Amino acid sequence: MSANPSPSTAVLQAAANWYLDLQDAPNNGSLRAAHKGWLAANTTHRQAWARLEKLQGKLAVLPPGLAQPTLSSANHKRRESLKLVGMLLAAGGVSGLAWQSTTLSSLRADQRTATGQRRKVRLDDGSILHLNSATAVNIDYGKQLREISLLQGEILVQTAADAKERPFVVHTDQGSIRALGTRFLVRREGDRCHVQVMQHAVEVRSAEHQQPQRVVAGQQLWFGAEKPQAVEPLESHADAWVNGMLVVSNWPLPRFIAELARYRTGVLRCDPALSSLHISGAFQLADTDAILNNLSTTLALRIHRMSPYWVSVEPA
């Protein structure tokens, strides 16, 4: 076992954030001092920064037009840059990069959203596809099937009747979800997939367990490549994000912060010491900073901002 663990994805993303901040303000002494403090705080921080510095020297091997936006144009392409730089770092550098990977395929997807964005897409058959924050999909309507490949993020599907009677299927790395005349959510999270059904039903087939599992309206299911887990009751307001809302009921604060982080560029962390705090309410996702500020005035916590892209929720 290595004495020094590899940087986590969050640390690698933080290194990307620091790079872009320093590019924006190269003469900002307080920012540079904060960066030095971040480097000194943990060995994995220094490892991540070293990997980024190594990455800069390899960007010339990328296709023309990609290397430059990756580590520059930070003001108007910050979201895309953060995503790409963080993913390149997480992949261990350009030498291990393949265009077929989920990471870069997402950047060339048929439809995608940046962090904090949402999009509504009307498909050729009249079906409606809603894309949540940081989501990418490919769309393939063939003679036999209507297929959606969810590369990352979360979608809400409202299927329409098809004149050609083609089945409607959503694919992920973990398996597939076949719609049975329905309205449902599919979300990728790490190596798992989450299905939530609002109307009618779906059939779920995991990649390594092809026996279909039926999920009906009012139910939800988590599954990986193996056999899906047991069906559970659907949480209320699961689709509130379509209207720009996050609605929660008695959520532990770390879970709430983790969900909020999906709608912010950069790193948003919650101290595990705050796990005993719970939160309920309806929140406008358009201004996550306002949500954090309100939390600091109503709960026993403080918001520590090392930069606009590195924020920690800590005990007061």
Side-chain angles (χ1 to χ4, degrees), residues 174-176 191-193 204-215 221-231:
Q174 293 76 29
S176 63
D191 59 356
R192 298 193 304 164
C193 192
V204 175
R205 287 179 171 84
S206 62
E208 298 180 9
H209 187 84
Q210 288 297 304
Q211 184 67 29
Q213 183 159 350
R214 188 180 179 92
V215 186
L221 176 72
W222 286 94
F223 71 97
E226 297 80 23
K227 183 177 180 179
Q229 299 178 6
V231 170

Side-chain angles (χ1 to χ4, degrees), residues 285-304:
L285 290 169
D287 192 345
T288 57
D289 280 318
I291 296 174
L292 294 173
N293 291 336
N294 288 336
L295 290 180
S296 66
T297 62
T298 58
L299 298 174
L301 55 82
R302 74 182 185 112
I303 309 301
H304 180 207

Side-chain angles (χ1 to χ4, degrees), residues 166-211:
R166 295 166 297 178
F168 191 106
V169 181
V170 176
H171 300 286
T172 72
D173 287 347
Q174 293 76 29
S176 63
I177 303 96
R178 176 171 174 168
L180 302 175
T182 188
R183 184 172 186 266
F184 63 103
L185 291 162
V186 183
R187 171 173 168 176
R188 291 187 58 161
E189 189 169 301
D191 59 356
R192 298 193 304 164
C193 192
H194 193 195
V195 179
Q196 298 169 288
V197 182
M198 282 72 188
Q199 294 176 2
H200 303 293
V202 300
E203 284 185 350
V204 175
R205 287 179 171 84
S206 62
E208 298 180 9
H209 187 84
Q210 288 297 304
Q211 184 67 29

Side-chain angles (χ1 to χ4, degrees), residues 45-168:
H45 295 181
R46 296 188 290 276
Q47 291 174 338
W49 191 250
R51 186 179 295 184
L52 189 146
E53 291 178 325
K54 184 178 180 181
L55 176 66
Q56 293 179 60
K58 294 183 177 181
L59 284 174
V61 305
L62 289 175
L66 178 62
Q68 183 65 23
T70 299
L71 292 178
S72 64
S73 304
N75 289 329
H76 66 281
K77 287 188 176 292
R78 177 176 292 276
R79 286 174 177 165
E80 289 81 358
S81 296
L82 283 171
K83 185 188 299 182
L84 180 54
V85 172
M87 289 174 176
L88 287 173
L89 289 171
V94 177
S95 61
L97 186 62
W99 281 102
Q100 291 76 17
S101 69
T102 298
T103 296
L104 292 180
S105 294
S106 297
L107 296 174
R108 304 192 305 168
D110 293 338
Q111 295 287 339
R112 65 185 180 94
T113 55
T115 300
Q117 292 182 330
R118 302 184 312 279
R119 180 172 298 159
K120 177 181 177 180
V121 179
R122 182 175 292 276
L123 303 176
D124 291 346
D125 63 339
S127 296
I128 301 297
L129 188 65
H130 292 270
L131 281 70
N132 200 356
S133 172
T135 294
V137 300
N138 283 329
I139 302 167
D140 184 11
Y141 271 35
K143 294 182 179 180
Q144 303 297 326
L145 290 172
R146 297 173 289 168
E147 297 177 282
I148 304 294
S149 295
L150 178 58
L151 307 177
Q152 68 178 40
E154 180 177 24
I155 56 175
L156 184 147
V157 180
Q158 176 71 57
T159 58
D162 182 42
K164 300 178 182 179
E165 298 185 345
R166 295 166 297 178
F168 191 106

